[in-house]
Amino acid sequence: MSDADPDVPANTGYDEWADALAGDGYYLECANGHGSLPPRRVCPECGSTDLSEAALPETGEVATFSEIHVAPSGFGVEPPYVTAVVDFGPVRITGIVPGVDGDGIAIGDELRPDVETNGATGNRLIVFRPA
Amino acid sequence: MTGVRVAGVGLTPFGAHEGRTGRDLFAEAALAALADAGVDGDDVEHLNYGNFMGALAERQGHQAPVMTEAAGLRCAGTRYEEACASAGVAVREAVRAIRSGENDVMLAGGMERMTNLSTAEVTESLAVAADELFEVRAGVTFPGAYALMARAYFDEYGGSREDLAHVAAKNHANAVNNEYAQYQREITVEQALDSPEVASPLHLFDACPITDGASALVLVSEEFAADHDLDAPVAITGTGQGGDRAALQDRADMARTPAATDAAEEAYADAGITSDEVAVAEVHDCFTIAEVMALESLGFFEPGEGVGAARRGDTTRDGDLPVNLSGGLKAKGHPVGATGGSQIAEMTRLLRGDHPNSDAVADATVGLTHNAGGTVASAVVHVLEVAE
Ligand SMILES: [Zn+2]
């Protein structure tokens, strides 16, 4: 996917952040220790503009999840699929958990983040895999 | 600061209006509101209009001038968009304009057309209300987002699918006599439990339907109502709005809706009342779990207590606090950009005594409406009172 496509809004920082989830994942940390995700210029908690990259914990715990049976048209992932919000402490991240159904996942499960490409949209697709 | 009266209300029936345009739907509601108010369209100084997905559903952006013209008004208009809270914001800004002395007569409401799209297209259009980078790309649909909240709620406070099924059954029972409701029929708790799963743990009967419809209100200053001898006994005495992080993942607690708490606190303070004084409420039950979280945010129940309210009978027609006597979004329908205005139209009718369910709240003088956007990243609350 070309970053120079003039018809697509820039996701400055988002694509790089998502790509890093496959290896050295990171989040943004402000001067007061709040976590957030890029693209971001200001800490949404305190307004600090002093943001730096901090290492994302290698695994997180499922905070909530749903097995979704009706997908948007053209989404590129066939339902049913499981979407989960995973808690990494300073930040939470939402993604798809491939290969499980709603009975194969529970709150508190430990998962690690990864990134794929959504073939239908060309966008990054954040996924979680068994830790 | 002048008070604001609801001089007239207008609604289309909610449901599928095949072959009709959005402008035709809004014109029907607007003309009904003007007739109900006994106000001439030439007296309207501005249209505040709510719409969410018209650019996707009808390829019609810039809807305010289209709707002003369709309603036969010769004034300017402004479209307000705050997802499912679009009309709530439109009404709130009209209230503020009248209170400021800037305007005496406003038309406020909204319209949405949805049934002309396929279910997958509606799912896609509604998902636009979520965070595009961090939720939509991760497959979070509108039902999916509320499912994430429902599971977080069950995990934190307990409650069950059966509790939620009682919310659905209650709201369907309330819609039976409402001529504007999409589903004027009862459902049983068992039917709700047995309906197909949409996004676990939510099933089809936990969800509001896909709906076309429009709402309109004629709002006037107290002075205008007196000068023109209008029969406008219901006043909007409190308005409040709250906001939150767009993505659910960024909220401190995914089982709570603090934007609604903030909106309610502002509206209560504005009206000079407490939650104890509210006798009847119309809350944003796009999903059954949304009604539960609304009841707690509005101060009617402690966290964890709202989920059993319908099952215990607290919020049923005969309960201490009837909720969604219109049928709610669940049974009355949810034409997204029209909903906030329709809640105030229904509450006005309930308090005036000309709603088919008014006898359930015959002595009520204080009502509340709660309209939420997305997963309650935005919320608008209004207090309505019988002023005379
Ligand atoms: Zn900070």
Side-chain angles (χ1 to χ4, degrees):
Chain A
M1 191 175 73
S2 168
D3 288 339
D5 185 342
D7 295 330
V8 177
N11 302 313
T12 314
Y14 172 85
D15 289 351
E16 293 78 1
W17 168 78
D19 288 342
L21 291 174
D24 297 314
Y26 64 89
Y27 66 96
L28 299 180
E29 186 176 47
C30 82
N32 295 311
H34 301 124
S36 62
L37 302 176
R40 178 105 39 208
R41 290 166 189 254
V42 184
C43 171
E45 293 298 319
C46 69
S48 168
T49 53
D50 182 3
L51 304 178
S52 56
E53 292 182 12
L56 189 75
E58 282 181 20
T59 65
E61 283 188 0
V62 173
T64 186
F65 66 93
S66 176
E67 183 181 70
I68 293 174
H69 296 272
V70 182
S73 56
F75 175 58
V77 180
E78 284 302 308
Y81 56 84
V82 169
T83 293
V85 180
V86 177
D87 193 341
F88 290 88
V91 292
R92 287 191 299 232
I93 300 172
T94 310
I96 285 176
V97 189
V100 304
D101 63 19
D103 297 325
I105 182 170
I107 288 176
D109 281 0
E110 209 161 322
L111 299 174
R112 66 176 174 84
D114 199 0
V115 65
E116 295 179 355
T117 299
N118 184 324
T121 64
N123 289 328
R124 272 68 171 176
L125 181 69
I126 294 173
V127 296
F128 296 108
R129 306 194 189 284
Chain B
M1 188 177 78
T2 181
V4 178
R5 296 295 178 89
V6 185
V9 305
L11 295 166
T12 67
F14 281 10
H17 289 285
E18 201 182 335
R20 289 183 63 184
T21 55
R23 67 188 77 189
D24 183 46
L25 292 171
F26 186 70
E28 180 183 340
L31 294 176
L34 290 165
D36 185 40
V39 167
D40 193 292
D42 281 337
D43 286 331
V44 175
E45 296 160 302
H46 201 89
L47 170 65
N48 278 21
Y49 170 80
N51 177 265
F52 172 55
M53 50 190 265
L56 299 168
E58 288 194 297
R59 299 189 59 77
Q60 181 65 66
H62 203 189
Q63 288 198 10
V66 174
M67 296 305 165
T68 308
E69 176 188 328
L73 307 178
R74 278 157 291 278
C75 60
T78 308
R79 172 187 154 192
Y80 289 86
E81 190 271 304
E82 192 93 297
C84 321
S86 295
V89 187
V91 171
R92 171 172 158 80
E93 293 307 318
V95 169
R96 282 148 63 100
I98 293 170
R99 284 177 168 184
S100 76
E102 182 92 15
N103 294 118
D104 281 306
V105 185
M106 305 274 287
L107 193 70
M111 185 286 299
E112 208 72 68
R113 256 190 93 199
M114 304 171 74
T115 71
N116 55 319
L117 301 176
S118 69
T119 300
E121 287 169 337
V122 171
T123 301
E124 183 179 7
S125 302
L126 291 172
V128 170
D131 185 311
E132 204 282 321
L133 289 179
F134 292 101
E135 294 185 315
V136 178
R137 292 181 185 210
V140 177
T141 61
F142 191 45
Y146 274 93
L148 293 170
M149 296 170 91
R151 193 179 306 279
Y153 185 98
F154 288 168
D155 183 60
E156 190 161 340
Y157 299 113
S160 66
R161 283 197 55 229
E162 192 168 353
D163 289 320
L164 298 183
H166 279 269
V167 176
K170 166 182 75 71
N171 292 348
H172 270 267
N174 288 339
V176 168
N177 296 320
N178 186 355
E179 70 273 31
Y180 295 109
Q182 186 165 4
Y183 296 131
Q184 296 168 40
R185 58 179 166 81
E186 298 204 41
I187 62 165
T188 65
V189 168
E190 289 70 30
Q191 280 176 306
L193 288 170
D194 292 344
S195 63
E197 190 167 74
V198 172
S200 68
L202 300 180
H203 287 233
L204 187 61
F205 281 18
D206 288 302
C208 64
I210 294 166
T211 311
D212 307 324
S215 63
L217 312 167
V218 177
L219 302 177
V220 301
S221 65
E222 279 179 347
E223 291 73 14
F224 185 93
D227 289 350
H228 292 77
D229 233 356
L230 299 183
D231 179 23
V234 174
I236 297 181
T237 58
T239 178
Q241 185 174 355
D244 204 343
R245 303 285 292 278
L248 200 52
Q249 66 183 23
D250 294 329
R251 312 265 176 84
D253 186 341
M254 292 185 287
R256 308 288 299 276
T257 53
T261 307
D262 292 347
E265 285 176 357
E266 185 181 0
Y268 290 143
D270 192 28
I273 67 159
T274 65
S275 60
D276 293 343
E277 294 173 61
V278 175
V280 53
E282 288 285 315
V283 309
H284 196 96
D285 60 324
C286 50
F287 295 90
T288 49
I289 188 66
E291 174 165 320
V292 170
M293 292 187 292
L295 296 176
E296 297 175 2
S297 290
L298 297 168
F300 301 138
F301 295 91
E302 292 298 313
E305 297 296 314
V307 73
R311 190 177 191 163
R312 292 190 303 266
D314 298 344
T315 51
T316 52
R317 179 191 168 93
D318 303 324
D320 286 344
L321 177 70
V323 171
N324 287 332
L325 283 172
S326 69
L329 284 53
K330 170 70 192 100
K332 179 169 185 265
H334 181 27
V336 177
T339 290
S342 77
Q343 293 175 314
I344 294 174
E346 296 281 17
M347 184 56 69
T348 299
R349 297 201 303 148
L350 284 162
L351 294 176
R352 286 195 314 208
D354 58 335
H355 191 284
N357 288 331
S358 282
D359 58 339
V361 285
D363 300 325
T365 58
V366 182
L368 175 144
T369 64
H370 156 271
N371 185 202
T375 49
V376 203
S378 53
V380 184
V381 170
H382 284 105
V383 175
L384 279 71
E385 297 188 63
V386 179
E388 59 190 36

